[in-house]
């Protein structure tokens, strides 16, 4: 089942500059004594080499403690320039996103039964099994697979498992964005991820959900300075 919009296969690297001058990139915290610019260059050096080796540009977005996001492009010759990547059309997406997971496959029967009974854990597990079937049938790079993850996230929150909900909503937000789904849907999923994280144990590990959400904010909503700044403050233990 082809999509009206192609899969976004752009390589997009994101970096967070932290209030103490360190940076977070590729799941790792990197600290001085060098200034942030030098730390960023450490990350950019292999990106330059990769862009040149594969003769394709790499998008680079750098988020700052005040929520400002700088967007760059690492060109195929290894030079870095401001990113003039055109903004996508406003919510122009394949109609399949509005149809939802097909009901005639019987995949959702167990999900709906558990939902009617208020058995949220069982509903989440049934949604997981349905997602696996959808991914096997249509591929993981398909809207149905993203919708399945989103459904799992919803039931995780209904079961008051905010930690899992934050992780799943982050995953679904990134998937919807990458697959060219409705911008409003990816923003909603991302906002749900932030809310769930705030109600969870607030995982601040370098490879944890909190930083994953921050990188998703940079990638999906780069103009939402307030949300990114507030999350970075909480990730670094500031008020």
């Amino acid at each position: 089942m082809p999509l009206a919009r192609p899969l976004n296969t752009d390589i997009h690297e994101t970096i967070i500059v932290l209030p103490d001058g360190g940076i977070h990139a590729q799941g790792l915290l990197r600290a001085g004594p060098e200034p942030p610019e030098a730390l960023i260059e450490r990350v950019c050096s292999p990106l330059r080499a990769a862009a040149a080796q594969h003769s394709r540009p790499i998008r680079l977005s750098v988020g700052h403690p005040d929520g400002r996001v700088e967007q760059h492009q690492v060109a195929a010759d290894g030079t870095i320039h401001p990113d003039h990547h055109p903004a996508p059309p406003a919510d122009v997406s394949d109609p399949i996103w509005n149809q939802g997971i097909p009901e005639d496959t019987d995949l959702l029967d167990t999900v709906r039964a558990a939902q009617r009974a208020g058995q949220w854990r069982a509903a989440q597990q049934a949604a997981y099994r349905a997602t696996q079937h959808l991914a096997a049938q249509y591929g993981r790079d398909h809207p149905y697979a993203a919708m399945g993850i989103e459904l799992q996230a919803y039931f995780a929150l209904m079961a008051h498992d905010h930690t899992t909900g934050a992780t799943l909503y982050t995953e679904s937000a990134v998937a919807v964005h990458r697959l060219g789904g409705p911008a409003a849907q990816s923003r909603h999923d991302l906002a749900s991820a932030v809310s769930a994280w705030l109600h969870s144990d607030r995982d601040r590990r370098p490879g944890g959900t909190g930083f994953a959400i921050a990188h998703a904010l940079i990638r999906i909503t780069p103009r939402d300075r307030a949300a990114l700044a507030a999350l970075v403050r909480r990730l670094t233990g500031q008020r």
Side-chain angles (χ1 to χ4, degrees):
M1 185 179 297
L3 302 182
R5 293 180 63 187
L7 174 68
N8 180 4
T9 57
D10 286 354
I11 301 174
H12 192 169
E13 196 72 40
T14 53
I15 298 173
I16 303 172
V17 178
L18 304 174
D20 64 1
I23 68 170
H24 184 275
Q26 300 169 337
L28 300 173
L29 290 172
R30 303 164 193 255
E34 302 98 331
E37 294 77 15
L39 298 173
I40 291 172
E41 180 54 34
R42 285 192 197 176
V43 177
C44 288
S45 182
L47 295 181
R48 295 175 191 271
Q53 179 181 357
H54 298 289
S55 298
R56 62 175 298 182
I58 296 175
R59 298 181 65 193
L60 173 67
S61 296
V62 181
H64 294 268
D66 63 357
R68 176 174 48 92
V69 174
E70 295 177 348
Q71 296 175 306
H72 307 280
Q73 186 177 91
V74 184
D77 62 3
T79 57
I80 299 180
H81 308 280
D83 189 4
H84 299 299
H85 194 78
D91 276 356
V92 176
S93 56
D94 193 297
I96 196 172
W97 291 98
N98 297 321
Q99 297 170 6
I101 297 173
E103 296 279 353
D104 57 0
T105 60
D106 299 329
L107 286 175
L108 297 182
D109 288 354
T110 305
V111 178
R112 299 304 185 206
Q115 182 179 18
R116 287 192 296 270
Q119 297 175 349
W120 307 119
R121 287 288 190 184
Q124 181 186 343
Q125 293 167 0
Y128 170 79
R129 291 192 294 271
T131 303
Q132 298 307 300
H133 284 291
L134 290 167
Q137 182 174 356
Y138 297 97
R140 295 196 174 276
D141 290 329
H142 191 279
Y144 290 158
M147 293 175 197
I149 297 170
E150 193 176 51
L151 196 60
Q152 294 173 60
Y154 169 77
F155 288 128
L157 291 194
M158 293 300 293
H160 301 291
D161 184 354
H162 294 98
T163 297
T164 300
T167 299
L168 289 171
Y169 264 125
T170 304
E171 187 177 344
S172 64
V174 172
V176 172
H177 176 71
R178 185 171 58 89
L179 293 171
Q185 185 171 341
S186 58
R187 289 194 300 267
H188 172 271
D189 288 351
L190 195 50
S192 297
V194 173
S195 177
W197 183 81
L198 289 172
H199 286 88
S200 70
D201 58 1
R202 300 192 182 188
D203 181 6
R204 296 183 176 89
R205 294 173 300 161
T209 300
F211 275 105
I213 296 173
H215 284 278
L217 285 169
I218 292 172
R219 185 185 302 268
I220 298 171
T221 58
R223 293 178 178 83
D224 191 351
R225 295 180 61 161
L228 179 60
L231 185 56
V232 169
R233 284 198 303 271
R234 286 174 171 81
L235 283 169
T236 54
Q238 299 184 350
R239 291 288 183 179

PDB file of all heavy atoms in Angstrom, residues 22 79 88 92 143 163:
ATOM      1  N   GLY A  22      28.360  21.847  28.730  1.00  0.00           N
ATOM      2  CA  GLY A  22      28.526  20.557  28.097  1.00  0.00           C
ATOM      3  C   GLY A  22      27.504  20.370  26.988  1.00  0.00           C
ATOM      4  O   GLY A  22      26.682  21.251  26.722  1.00  0.00           O
ATOM      5  N   THR A  79      31.631  20.857   4.345  1.00  0.00           N
ATOM      6  CA  THR A  79      31.402  22.177   4.906  1.00  0.00           C
ATOM      7  C   THR A  79      30.019  22.241   5.546  1.00  0.00           C
ATOM      8  O   THR A  79      29.111  21.476   5.196  1.00  0.00           O
ATOM      9  CB  THR A  79      31.521  23.266   3.828  1.00  0.00           C
ATOM     10  OG1 THR A  79      30.589  22.982   2.779  1.00  0.00           O
ATOM     11  CG2 THR A  79      32.938  23.295   3.264  1.00  0.00           C
ATOM     12  N   PRO A  88       7.755  21.553   5.256  1.00  0.00           N
ATOM     13  CA  PRO A  88       6.769  20.723   4.560  1.00  0.00           C
ATOM     14  C   PRO A  88       5.425  21.432   4.487  1.00  0.00           C
ATOM     15  O   PRO A  88       5.133  22.320   5.282  1.00  0.00           O
ATOM     16  CB  PRO A  88       6.681  19.472   5.447  1.00  0.00           C
ATOM     17  CG  PRO A  88       7.095  19.942   6.804  1.00  0.00           C
ATOM     18  CD  PRO A  88       8.116  21.022   6.571  1.00  0.00           C
ATOM     19  N   VAL A  92      -0.213  18.268   5.000  1.00  0.00           N
ATOM     20  CA  VAL A  92      -0.531  17.539   3.783  1.00  0.00           C
ATOM     21  C   VAL A  92       0.012  16.130   3.952  1.00  0.00           C
ATOM     22  O   VAL A  92       1.217  15.918   3.952  1.00  0.00           O
ATOM     23  CB  VAL A  92       0.081  18.212   2.536  1.00  0.00           C
ATOM     24  CG1 VAL A  92      -0.182  17.373   1.299  1.00  0.00           C
ATOM     25  CG2 VAL A  92      -0.478  19.613   2.365  1.00  0.00           C
ATOM     26  N   PRO A 143       2.281   3.727   8.247  1.00  0.00           N
ATOM     27  CA  PRO A 143       1.460   4.404   9.250  1.00  0.00           C
ATOM     28  C   PRO A 143       0.780   3.477  10.236  1.00  0.00           C
ATOM     29  O   PRO A 143       0.633   3.821  11.411  1.00  0.00           O
ATOM     30  CB  PRO A 143       0.437   5.166   8.396  1.00  0.00           C
ATOM     31  CG  PRO A 143       1.156   5.453   7.127  1.00  0.00           C
ATOM     32  CD  PRO A 143       2.021   4.243   6.880  1.00  0.00           C
ATOM     33  N   THR A 163       5.984   6.057  32.798  1.00  0.00           N
ATOM     34  CA  THR A 163       7.331   5.846  32.263  1.00  0.00           C
ATOM     35  C   THR A 163       7.261   5.192  30.885  1.00  0.00           C
ATOM     36  O   THR A 163       7.890   5.661  29.924  1.00  0.00           O
ATOM     37  CB  THR A 163       8.155   4.962  33.220  1.00  0.00           C
ATOM     38  OG1 THR A 163       8.295   5.649  34.471  1.00  0.00           O
ATOM     39  CG2 THR A 163       9.533   4.683  32.653  1.00  0.00           C
TER      40      THR A 163
END
